[in-house]
Amino acid sequence: MMTAGASLSPTRTLPGARKGLRKRQRHHYVLAFLLVLPAMAFIGVFIAYPFVQGIYRSFFNYNGGNLNQFIGIQNYIDLFKDPLVGPSFLNVFILTSALVIQSVVVAFVAAWLIHHLSSERLKYLFRVLVMLPAVVPTIVGFLLWTEFLSPDGAVNQVLGGLGLGFLQGDWLGDPNRVIIGLIIVGFPWLNGINTLLFLAALGEIPNEIYDSARLDRAGRGRILWNIEIPAVMAQASVLMVLAIVIGLQSYENVYVMTGGGPFNSSNVPGLILFKNAFGYGRFGYASAIGVVLFIVIAAVLLLGSWLRKRARNAF
C-alpha cells in the first residue's frame, strides 16, 4: 500500500509516460504540417514563385518568348526616365487617398447612422440596401458610370437641374477633370462589407457604457469621439491597409473607362505595366514597374504602421 507521503507528485511523470507524450506531440506536429502543406504549396507556386520570377525578369530584355537578354538595371533606368511613370504615380496616390476616405470614413458614417436608428426593421432594411451595390459586377458598374459621366450623361443633367451648370463638362474626356471623374465613380461610395464590419464593431459596445456616458451628460459628439471611434479603430486600420494596397495596384477602372487618356492624363502604374507587358511585349520592363510598385506599397504600409504606433504611444 502506498502511503500519502510516498504518492507521486502531480508534477512528476514516469519516463514511459513522457516518451508517449512526446510521441503524440510529434504526431500532432506532423499532422498539422500535412494539413498546412497544400496551402503552403499553393502560395509557393502561385504567389512566391511568380514574385521571384518578376524580380529576376526585371533585369532582362524579355519579350515573353525567345528574347531573353540580360541588361542589368537598364529597365529601371528607362522606368525613371519614362515621362508617363511620374504622373501615373501622382494619379494613383490621389485615387488611393480618395479610396481610403470612401472605404473608411464613408463606411463608418453610414454604419454610425444605421447603428443609431431606433427601429430594428429599418436597421435590417438599410443593412440589406448597403449590400445591393455588391450584386452588380464591377465591370458593369464601370461601364454604367462611363455613360453617367459622358457630356450628356446623368451627372451633367443632375448638375444642370440643381442650377450648377457651370460645373458641367466632359468628365472623362477633359484632362483637367478626368481624375475627379474617376473619383466620382460609385457615388455615394457605400461599401457594404466595410459598413457591416463597422456596424458589428459598434454593436459590440455594451449598453452600460452608453448609459454611463448619458449619466455624465455626455453629448452625441463626445460619445462619438471618446467611445465609438475608439471602438472601431481596429477595423478602420485593417480597412485602411486594404484600401491602400488595392488602390495603389488597381487599374481596372482606368482601363475600362479611359484607357489612360485623354492624352495619358489618367494613367496609373498598373495600367502602364499591363500595356507594356501585353500590348508591347516588354515583359522585362513591366516586371521592373511591378517591382517598383511593390517597393512603394511596402514603404507606404511600413510608414502607416510606424505612424499608428506613434499615435498609440502618444495617447
Side-chain angles (χ1 to χ4, degrees):
M1 244 179 113
M2 188 178 291
T3 63
S7 62
L8 290 174
S9 170
T11 60
R12 297 175 62 187
T13 310
L14 294 175
R18 287 200 299 270
K19 185 177 180 180
L21 178 61
R22 286 196 297 269
K23 188 175 181 180
R24 287 195 299 272
Q25 287 176 339
R26 283 197 298 270
H27 287 166
H28 290 161
Y29 293 148
V30 171
L31 178 60
F33 176 77
L34 291 175
L35 291 173
V36 174
L37 185 60
M40 293 173 61
F42 182 88
I43 292 172
V45 172
F46 295 103
I47 298 178
Y49 177 73
F51 174 71
V52 174
Q53 275 290 98
I55 297 176
Y56 175 75
R57 295 296 183 190
S58 69
F59 298 103
F60 287 80
N61 182 17
Y62 178 57
N63 67 352
N66 55 1
L67 179 62
N68 193 20
Q69 177 187 9
F70 179 78
I71 57 174
I73 62 171
Q74 187 60 47
N75 282 325
Y76 294 93
I77 295 173
D78 293 343
L79 188 155
F80 287 104
K81 289 182 178 179
D82 192 334
L84 300 180
V85 171
S88 74
F89 272 98
L90 177 60
N91 289 340
V92 82
F93 278 124
I94 295 173
L95 293 172
T96 300
S97 300
L99 181 61
V100 169
I101 294 173
Q102 295 165 10
S103 301
V104 179
V105 178
V106 175
F108 172 72
V109 170
W112 184 81
L113 292 172
I114 296 172
H115 177 68
H116 286 284
L117 289 173
S118 57
S119 170
E120 290 298 326
R121 289 185 177 181
L122 282 178
K123 286 184 180 181
Y124 177 79
L125 174 63
F126 280 105
R127 284 199 297 268
V128 173
L129 290 177
V130 296
M131 286 301 299
L132 282 181
V135 178
V136 181
T138 305
I139 299 300
V140 174
F142 293 154
L143 293 174
L144 286 173
W145 274 96
T146 302
E147 294 297 323
F148 293 161
L149 292 166
S150 63
D152 56 348
V155 173
N156 282 333
Q157 292 180 17
V158 170
L159 290 174
L162 295 175
L164 301 174
F166 62 94
L167 293 178
Q168 293 176 328
D170 189 355
W171 293 98
L172 299 179
D174 184 349
N176 297 318
R177 289 174 176 256
V178 64
I179 297 300
I180 299 175
L182 291 172
I183 292 174
I184 292 173
V185 171
F187 181 84
W189 311 300
L190 278 179
N191 187 308
I193 295 175
N194 294 6
T195 302
L196 293 183
L197 286 173
F198 281 128
L199 262 175
L202 291 171
E204 291 295 320
I205 302 174
N207 289 327
E208 291 79 3
I209 294 180
Y210 283 111
D211 295 337
S212 299
R214 294 188 187 99
L215 287 174
D216 291 337
R217 296 183 179 180
R220 184 60 60 85
R222 187 177 168 189
I223 292 174
L224 171 66
W225 184 255
N226 293 324
I227 298 174
E228 292 170 330
I229 290 180
V232 303
M233 285 306 296
Q235 288 77 6
S237 299
V238 172
L239 294 176
M240 185 181 299
V241 168
L242 289 176
I244 291 172
V245 172
I246 292 171
L248 289 178
Q249 63 186 357
S250 140
Y251 67 92
E252 298 88 349
N253 56 337
V254 180
Y255 178 74
V256 171
M257 300 181 69
T258 68
F263 308 112
N264 295 309
S265 58
S266 63
N267 267 327
V268 292
L271 182 59
I272 296 177
L273 185 158
F274 177 82
K275 286 181 175 179
N276 276 279
F278 301 104
Y280 314 137
R282 301 179 64 191
F283 285 90
Y285 183 67
S287 297
I289 297 175
V291 171
V292 171
L293 190 57
F294 165 77
I295 293 172
V296 170
I297 293 173
V300 171
L301 294 181
L302 289 174
L303 177 61
S305 176
W306 180 76
L307 290 174
R308 286 197 301 273
K309 288 181 180 178
R310 290 290 300 270
R312 284 200 298 267
N313 293 334
F315 289 99

